[in-house]
Amino acid sequence: WLTSTILHGFHEGDELPLGNVTSHPLANLVLDDIDRLIKEEMHARKYVRFLDNGWVVGKFTHWLRRVQSRVSRKMRAIGLTMKSNWQIYPVESRGIKVLGYRVFHKYILLVTKTKKRLQKYLGEAIERMKRGEDPTQLDLGRYHSYCGVLKYCNSWRLSKSTTRLFERLWKARTWMQSPQHRTRAPSSS
């Protein structure tokens, strides 16, 4: 009853809203058989699924094609279809795009779109701070957000030119505005 109420409780013709609080539990419920097929029957050692996106990593193309075939058949049996853009490709050269990152065997990078957005927004804020302006609340929010994003990937060079530069300028600016700046030098960090 509850699931039916949630699924059919929207206006006629509307789909469930993206990010609905029920999306994750319902995906887990519906796709549990697929997960079991991949992990237990096909013995996939490296398998990840987030909502309706799944990644199986393996060494042999013929085994990956067999997994795809079995998963496709299982999905048809429960009334679902696999997206037409599924792919088998070498992870070493392209990485796996997942949740805004490109995951490789030994390292993780930020996807290019997010990297360019970070460089644009923080670059603009840094330029304004160099001209003597204070950062806005939006700039500070973006700074904190990108610090959180960069924490989970290999981003030393990127953070050096963006978030760490922003932080140094912000600390210098707040120190210069404080009454103590005439009596002692700021600590170097």
Side-chain angles (χ1 to χ4, degrees):
W1 167 84
L2 179 60
T3 304
S4 178
T5 302
I6 292 168
L7 292 175
H8 302 293
F10 297 95
H11 299 291
E12 189 67 35
D14 287 347
E15 296 179 359
L16 281 175
L18 188 64
N20 189 309
V21 73
T22 58
S23 297
H24 205 102
L26 287 175
N28 286 341
L29 180 69
V30 170
L31 298 174
D32 181 61
D33 288 340
I34 304 294
D35 295 340
R36 290 180 188 277
L37 169 72
I38 294 170
K39 290 193 280 186
E40 296 171 5
E41 293 179 34
M42 299 299 294
H43 305 289
R45 293 174 59 208
K46 296 178 181 176
Y47 167 64
V48 175
R49 182 180 56 78
F50 180 73
L51 292 175
D52 63 342
N53 296 309
W55 299 268
V56 180
V57 178
K59 289 183 180 183
F60 304 107
T61 304
H62 64 275
W63 179 79
L64 290 168
R65 290 193 189 284
R66 197 167 51 232
V67 170
Q68 187 276 330
S69 176
R70 298 246 339 247
V71 167
S72 189
R73 276 196 308 260
K74 185 77 161 182
M75 289 179 73
R76 278 195 303 272
I78 60 174
L80 300 173
T81 57
M82 188 176 290
K83 289 172 68 173
S84 61
N85 65 349
W86 68 271
Q87 300 176 28
I88 294 177
Y89 61 87
V91 175
E92 295 83 22
S93 60
R94 289 176 47 189
I96 300 170
K97 279 177 112 176
V98 59
L99 300 175
Y101 299 99
R102 284 181 39 219
V103 180
F104 295 85
H105 286 294
K106 298 185 188 255
Y107 57 95
I108 300 172
L109 299 176
L110 202 59
V111 294
T112 305
K113 182 178 174 182
T114 306
K115 177 183 170 184
K116 286 182 179 181
R117 199 175 326 123
L118 177 151
Q119 290 171 324
K120 176 187 173 197
Y121 290 139
L122 288 187
E124 290 170 357
I126 288 167
E127 289 304 314
R128 285 195 304 274
M129 289 170 67
K130 285 180 178 177
R131 288 194 308 261
E133 299 174 29
D134 281 338
T136 64
Q137 286 297 318
L138 181 61
D139 293 335
L140 293 172
R142 286 176 173 161
Y143 160 74
H144 289 293
S145 175
Y146 285 125
C147 282
V149 167
L150 293 175
K151 183 173 22 176
Y152 297 102
C153 63
N154 300 81
S155 60
W156 186 83
R157 269 193 203 108
L158 180 60
S159 65
K160 183 178 179 186
S161 66
T162 55
T163 56
R164 286 189 277 166
L165 178 58
F166 181 94
E167 184 177 357
R168 277 198 316 273
L169 289 170
W170 178 239
K171 281 183 178 179
R173 185 140 186 80
T174 55
W175 178 77
M176 289 299 290
Q177 293 173 350
S178 73
Q180 298 104 344
H181 87 275
R182 294 193 173 110
T183 59
R184 60 187 172 129
S187 63
S188 60
S189 53

